[in-house]
Amino acid sequence: MERFRDIFQDLSRSYRKTAGSLEYQYQHINLMGNARNRRQDSSDASANLIRERTALDTSLTMLDDILGQGTSTRDMLASQRARFKNIGEGVGRLGQYFPDVDRLLHRIGVRHIRERLILGLTIGLCLCFIIWWMLPATEAPYGQTMDSFDAAGEKFAAADADAAAGGADAAQQAGGG
């Protein structure tokens, strides 16, 4: 039995030593890599750089296309502006030759201004109404409500009416007596 125990311990030590050696080599290869992996990594790095350069070239090409579209759009808008300016000048000259056309153009301009003014006033009044509607009911000073002011106003109105009636009675008595 003792012999088997010694053999078992020797084999166990040998197994642990071999397993440790294999684990060390596995970690070494994962961390450091071998010569073949280094060459592949360098080619992968250069391949990555080539891919990145290709992507940058594609992006620059797309950017050039977009800038070209923007430039052509700007040129088209400039030519449209020049065309509309020429049309406006032509219509203005037409008004000089034909007074009726000139009056018609003047009336169109006046109507245009009037419509803008009416639209502006309408929008302004709507905004004022919305602001008035959204504001909370304001309270009168000293904690009084607006209803107490209305009641006081009615009292003053009644007193004024009585004074006016009393003054009329005094004038009748002076005149009749």
Side-chain angles (χ1 to χ4, degrees):
M1 187 74 144
E2 194 98 11
R3 181 172 170 231
F4 289 118
R5 189 176 298 160
D6 287 339
I7 293 173
F8 176 72
Q9 286 177 353
D10 285 340
L11 290 175
S12 294
R13 268 187 254 130
S14 175
Y15 172 75
R16 279 189 227 116
K17 185 177 176 183
T18 306
S21 175
L22 288 174
E23 182 67 27
Y24 173 77
Q25 288 176 359
Y26 178 74
Q27 288 178 355
H28 179 73
I29 289 172
N30 281 339
L31 293 175
M32 303 302 234
N34 59 14
R36 268 187 265 144
N37 286 343
R38 281 189 211 135
R39 275 187 251 131
Q40 288 176 352
D41 289 343
S42 66
S43 67
D44 287 342
S46 62
N48 287 337
L49 288 174
I50 291 171
R51 272 189 299 234
E52 187 174 342
R53 179 174 173 93
T54 305
L56 286 173
D57 287 341
T58 305
S59 297
L60 288 173
T61 303
M62 290 170 55
L63 185 63
D64 287 339
D65 291 343
I66 290 172
L67 288 174
Q69 289 175 359
T71 304
S72 66
T73 303
R74 185 194 61 194
D75 294 342
M76 279 195 302
L77 288 174
S79 68
Q80 281 182 355
R81 182 177 55 227
R83 214 176 289 143
F84 284 134
K85 183 179 177 184
N86 290 338
I87 290 171
E89 289 173 356
V91 170
R93 277 183 271 145
L94 187 67
Q96 292 174 355
Y97 295 126
F98 300 105
D100 291 335
V101 174
D102 191 34
R103 273 186 253 127
L104 177 66
L105 291 174
H106 179 69
R107 282 206 263 135
I108 289 172
V110 168
R111 179 173 283 175
H112 187 67
I113 291 170
R114 188 179 71 207
E115 287 175 356
R116 281 187 176 180
L117 182 65
I118 291 171
L119 184 63
L121 287 173
T122 303
I123 290 172
L125 288 174
C126 288
L127 286 174
C128 288
F129 176 75
I130 288 171
I131 290 171
W132 172 77
W133 183 62
M134 292 184 78
L135 287 177
T138 56
E139 291 198 16
Y142 309 114
Q144 298 173 342
T145 61
M146 294 302 283
D147 294 335
S148 64
F149 278 115
D150 290 341
E154 289 173 7
K155 287 180 189 177
F156 286 124
D160 286 343
D162 289 342
D169 289 338
Q172 282 180 352
Q173 287 176 357

